[in-house]
Amino acid sequence: MDCLISWKGKMAGLREGKADFSLTWDPLEASQLAIQTAFLAGTKLGFKFVDAAGTAGYGFWGDFMIAAFNFEQPLEEGTTVSVSLELDGPPTVEIGV
C-alpha cells in the first residue's frame, strides 16, 4: 500500500509589519543616504519605532527592507521622499525602556 502524507505547519503569532513616512530630502543627511543606499542595494536596515520622544517608551525595533523610496517635487515645497518599510523577521518589543 502506498501512502502519501503531507502537512503544512502553522506558526502562532505570525506577524507582518509595515511603516510609511515622508522626509524633507537633505542629500547631506547620513541617515537619508543610508536609507537610499539600502533601497538601491536591496539590503536591510534596522529601525526603531517608539511612542515617546527620544528612545524611551513603548515600541518595537527590527530589520526592515526598504520597499519604496520615491522622490516627490511639489511646486510649492522642497523635495520630499516617501519611504515604505516592510519588516523582515521577528520584531523586538520594548516596554518602558
Side-chain angles (χ1 to χ4, degrees):
M1 171 171 85
D2 291 331
C3 182
L4 177 62
I5 300 172
S6 66
W7 60 276
K8 181 187 274 189
K10 296 192 185 251
M11 277 180 38
L14 183 62
R15 295 176 178 90
E16 293 182 5
K18 185 174 181 182
D20 299 308
F21 56 91
S22 294
L23 303 166
T24 301
W25 177 244
D26 180 354
L28 301 177
E29 175 61 45
S31 61
Q32 292 182 24
L33 293 174
I35 296 169
Q36 182 185 36
T37 301
F39 172 70
L40 294 173
T43 57
K44 297 182 257 187
L45 273 182
F47 284 87
K48 183 175 184 176
F49 297 93
V50 293
D51 65 352
T55 58
Y58 176 81
F60 69 95
W61 60 272
D63 290 330
F64 288 80
M65 292 298 294
I66 292 72
F69 188 88
N70 299 311
F71 285 98
E72 300 170 3
Q73 296 177 316
L75 295 175
E76 300 86 27
E77 302 168 10
T79 301
T80 59
V81 178
S82 294
V83 180
S84 291
L85 307 176
E86 293 183 6
L87 186 63
D88 185 37
T92 299
V93 177
E94 295 182 353
I95 300 172
V97 175

